[in-house]
Amino acid sequence: MMMQPAWARLMAQLPGRTVYTYDRRGRGESTNRSGYDVRWEVDDLLAFTSALPQPLDVFGHSSGALLALHALARGVKVRRLVLYEPPLASVREPKLTEDLPGRIFGLVDRGERDEALSMFMQHGMWVPEEDIARLRQGPRWQEQLGYAETGGYDITITRTYPFDRAVLVRLTMPALLLCGDQSPEWMQRGVRIFAEALPNCRLEVLEGQGHNAQFTDPATLGGRVTAFLNE
């Protein structure tokens, strides 16, 4: 549910569709405010979707997928729903610590954005420490430094998401859940739990992919999304 330049590669794989994207709070051209509350991001999404032509198909990735579920629980109507690896905190290994968002925010406040992003990657995104140096040399690191504080937002969204089968069973639109077979076992297990809770849902596995097929194989991801939306 966020839009940075790299996401354009996925958009190019969705031909013949009008695609609406937005920069989530604190990212890209969107403004921010002091403090953080998940409800603010859900409010943003509700305002955004209410301004769009209906009916909508919705694609959400990672914490953005959880925001989509929040919005649906608050009444947003969609025709079809695609969720790619919504993280489920209760099965995560290791568990996300309560103090992690505050530690990231503190580093950002002190101007230590590189350290904040590294902390998010290592402790929030399960990236091994030895891979951090490689990522620092990649094309996206400098871009991500600009919104390093939003790593704390993503962790907060994941830690506080109120998984409730009684709520999810009321979301009866056709839904597709996606996960990569290279993602951690706990991530794949969490996606299966979501898929079992949604009443009109199927689960598909992206072979050879992890959490970010929108960057590593946008053609495959776009093809899966397109095929489902065309049914």
Side-chain angles (χ1 to χ4, degrees):
M1 303 296 295
M2 56 182 154
M3 182 59 192
Q4 287 99 38
W7 281 76
R9 288 177 289 177
L10 176 60
M11 293 174 61
Q13 302 301 320
L14 303 171
R17 296 188 175 277
T18 301
V19 181
Y20 299 92
T21 66
Y22 74 109
D23 291 321
R24 277 175 49 191
R25 182 175 293 262
R27 309 171 200 243
E29 297 182 4
S30 289
T31 57
N32 210 348
R33 61 186 286 190
S34 60
Y36 182 71
D37 192 309
V38 176
R39 291 174 296 181
W40 299 344
E41 288 220 67
V42 181
D43 289 342
D44 293 342
L45 181 52
L46 290 169
F48 177 67
T49 56
S50 68
L52 299 179
Q54 307 294 318
L56 294 173
D57 297 319
V58 170
F59 171 87
H61 169 256
S62 195
S63 64
L66 298 181
L67 289 178
L69 290 171
H70 273 295
L72 290 166
R74 286 178 53 180
V76 168
K77 304 298 183 184
V78 303
R79 188 186 73 97
R80 285 179 173 256
L81 175 69
V82 183
L83 302 178
Y84 177 13
E85 293 199 349
L88 187 58
S90 63
V91 301
R92 193 189 190 282
E93 299 174 2
K95 299 297 184 185
L96 292 168
T97 60
E98 184 176 359
D99 68 338
L100 184 54
R103 292 164 61 197
I104 292 173
F105 298 150
L107 287 168
V108 171
D109 288 343
R110 295 193 296 273
E112 301 173 27
R113 286 185 168 270
D114 190 271
E115 291 79 1
L117 181 55
S118 177
M119 180 177 291
F120 169 66
M121 289 292 183
Q122 186 175 349
H123 300 290
M125 286 293 293
W126 67 88
V127 177
E129 185 175 4
E130 57 269 22
D131 288 345
I132 299 295
R134 175 181 57 80
L135 290 174
R136 280 194 174 97
Q137 305 306 312
R140 294 191 64 230
W141 189 267
Q142 288 300 316
E143 173 192 332
Q144 291 173 294
L145 286 178
Y147 52 90
E149 65 273 19
T150 66
Y153 302 172
D154 290 340
I155 293 165
T156 302
I157 293 167
T158 300
R159 281 195 68 258
T160 62
Y161 176 76
F163 182 90
D164 186 339
R165 293 180 185 274
V167 173
L168 294 174
V169 77
R170 295 197 292 269
L171 306 181
T172 58
M173 75 290 294
L176 173 66
L177 259 72
L178 297 168
C179 69
D181 66 357
Q182 300 303 301
S183 291
E185 191 281 331
W186 66 262
M187 174 63 84
Q188 298 182 53
R189 179 155 40 105
V191 174
R192 290 194 296 270
I193 292 171
F194 274 111
E196 292 166 0
L198 291 165
N200 191 13
C201 179
R202 75 168 182 258
L203 171 65
E204 294 185 6
V205 176
L206 301 172
E207 296 183 1
Q209 301 301 314
H211 191 60
N212 290 304
Q214 70 275 18
F215 305 137
T216 59
D217 193 354
T220 293
L221 177 58
R224 297 291 186 95
V225 173
T226 297
F228 174 70
L229 296 183
N230 285 343
E231 291 180 1

